[in-house]
Amino acid sequence: MTGFIRFFDSKIIKWFIIGTYTYFCLIILIEVVRRYVFGASSAWGEMTARYAFVYLTYVAAAEGIRQGRHIRIDLLPNRLPPATKKWLELYIDALTILLAGTVIYYSLELIGILWSAGIVMTAADVNMAFAHAALPLGWILIIIRIVQNWIDRSYGGRTSPDSYGAN
């Protein structure tokens, strides 16, 4: 199982981020050239680039959590004793998981409505449920990353967020 997790961390997520970012940049470049050089652009290009950016944002947020490089205020935790700091980190992680569960629940409701109503993207003729699936998938990945961090800290792996980028 750890081999799969390492492969997932080092290959799948990395290449998803690279591929999505490349797609996003290329489509925007192509659409700018088409609009200003040829006087015509496609609606699907801008729309798919927008949703690719949303997927990229959620995956990158989960990676920020995994590597301990997300934006946080650490003035108080840095002044606490190590044991208290550990409990505070667990409390913050639990609140994040609670938020994630709430977002996942309501976004799945929205996806169900979009799917059953047959609402499609205006330019791509694809159900909007696929675009909105970024929300629950991104938050599920965030929960997975939080649990991975707990496991790493519990079983002698990474001990502090500062060492997360060392892999």
Side-chain angles (χ1 to χ4, degrees):
M1 187 67 169
T2 59
F4 172 75
I5 292 172
R6 261 191 241 115
F7 178 74
F8 182 75
D9 284 348
S10 65
K11 302 290 186 213
I12 294 175
I13 295 294
K14 176 183 172 181
W15 285 107
F16 179 82
I17 291 172
I18 291 169
T20 307
Y21 189 72
T22 302
Y23 174 79
F24 170 74
C25 290
L26 284 175
I27 290 296
I28 294 299
L29 177 67
I30 290 168
E31 290 302 314
V32 167
V33 169
R34 287 186 65 190
R35 181 174 294 146
Y36 292 108
V37 174
F38 300 111
S41 65
S42 67
W44 69 267
E46 183 267 334
M47 184 175 290
T48 58
R50 182 184 321 142
Y51 291 119
F53 183 72
V54 171
Y55 274 91
L56 175 68
T57 301
Y58 280 106
V59 172
E63 282 308 291
I65 287 174
R66 176 68 173 143
Q67 296 177 9
R69 296 179 186 232
H70 52 85
I71 295 174
R72 62 180 170 229
I73 299 171
D74 57 1
L75 178 67
L76 178 63
N78 286 343
R79 293 176 182 222
L80 294 174
T84 308
K85 182 178 178 179
K86 184 176 181 177
W87 282 107
L88 179 63
E89 288 172 355
L90 285 172
Y91 176 71
I92 292 169
D93 287 345
L95 288 178
T96 304
I97 289 174
L98 181 66
L99 174 65
T102 305
V103 171
I104 291 166
Y105 175 79
Y106 286 109
S107 63
L108 288 175
E109 273 190 10
L110 175 63
I111 288 171
I113 292 169
L114 292 170
W115 187 264
S116 64
I119 299 172
V120 296
M121 295 179 200
T122 54
D125 199 31
V126 175
N127 196 306
M128 284 296 289
F130 291 110
H132 287 272
L135 219 59
L137 292 174
W139 282 98
I140 288 168
L141 187 57
I142 286 172
I143 291 172
I144 290 169
R145 295 313 203 177
I146 290 172
V147 171
Q148 280 181 307
N149 289 344
W150 284 350
I151 292 168
D152 285 348
R153 282 182 253 161
S154 298
Y155 293 106
R158 300 173 184 159
T159 56
S160 71
D162 298 329
S163 66
Y164 289 157
N167 285 359

